[in-house]
Amino acid sequence: NLGAKWAMTLSHGLAPGCGADEAWAVIGTFGGLHRWLPSVEVCDIIEGQEGIPGCVRYVAGKGRSPYGSPQRWVLEKLLDLSPDRRSFTYSILDSSYGFEEYTARFSVCSDPSSHHGVLHGTPNVVTWSFEMSPTLAGSRHEVFDLLTEIFNRMMGCLESTLLGSSPSPSPSP
């Protein structure tokens, strides 16, 4: 059914020593992707102010998109930022990926009871939920595989950043 939205939620339990507040300090800076993701060459707020809903970021990286465009790039608008809940919601305005009506939410949670047993024993979890209109750029399976691969790389980079930047990691509760 081409009218139905595609939706997916990905979760990652952070490695011991990676605190929720520290993870949020990295992830929650909308214009800061280039500081912790080596594949991101440019991440600029091109409209509005960092952290204020309505701001727009331009993100670009090396190489070609899986669908042949000369460079991977995306234009994203911050819709909501909730530091107290460690979450933000954004939408894609345009991209080299061909996604339409794409909205996503990133969050960092430190309450194990909210993981519904999926990641039991992991105190700090990053979740990325998104929905989009079906795209001609690939099948649902191909698009979800691509986004899962991106998320997994992001989480590896996040953990490296957190563990590399904290001289003495505090033990997880």
Side-chain angles (χ1 to χ4, degrees):
N1 179 357
L2 256 157
K5 292 264 190 173
W6 292 353
M8 184 176 195
T9 298
L10 299 166
S11 294
H12 176 82
L14 293 172
C18 296
D21 288 335
E22 293 78 12
W24 172 248
V26 173
I27 290 176
T29 304
F30 195 63
L33 282 175
H34 60 295
R35 294 186 195 121
W36 61 280
L37 283 176
S39 62
V40 173
E41 295 176 329
V42 178
C43 182
D44 291 331
I45 300 295
I46 60 167
E47 190 178 303
Q49 269 186 282
E50 165 65 49
I52 306 294
C55 73
V56 175
R57 72 181 175 190
Y58 171 75
V59 181
K62 296 182 221 172
R64 299 178 90 61
S65 83
Y67 310 114
S69 64
Q71 179 175 259
R72 293 176 307 208
W73 61 272
V74 65
L75 206 55
E76 297 171 329
K77 181 176 188 172
L78 182 64
L79 302 176
D80 180 61
L81 179 73
S82 301
D84 55 324
R85 292 195 311 259
R86 291 192 214 98
S87 72
F88 69 87
T89 305
Y90 67 98
S91 64
I92 291 181
L93 302 176
D94 197 6
S95 76
S96 62
Y97 294 97
F99 299 162
E100 293 187 14
E101 297 180 22
Y102 174 103
T103 303
R105 180 176 182 267
F106 256 103
S107 64
V108 181
C109 181
S110 60
D111 176 8
S113 66
S114 69
H115 310 325
H116 310 294
V118 176
L119 299 165
H120 57 73
T122 306
N124 301 312
V125 176
V126 177
T127 302
W128 184 28
S129 304
F130 55 85
E131 72 172 32
M132 70 177 86
S133 291
T135 175
L136 300 175
S139 71
R140 177 185 173 113
H141 180 74
E142 290 167 330
V143 169
F144 284 11
D145 279 355
L146 170 69
L147 293 173
T148 299
E149 183 182 317
I150 289 170
F151 179 71
N152 289 338
R153 274 199 312 263
M154 288 174 72
M155 293 302 97
C157 292
L158 174 64
E159 288 177 341
S160 294
T161 299
L162 293 173
L163 295 172
S165 65
S166 64
S168 58
S170 53
S172 295

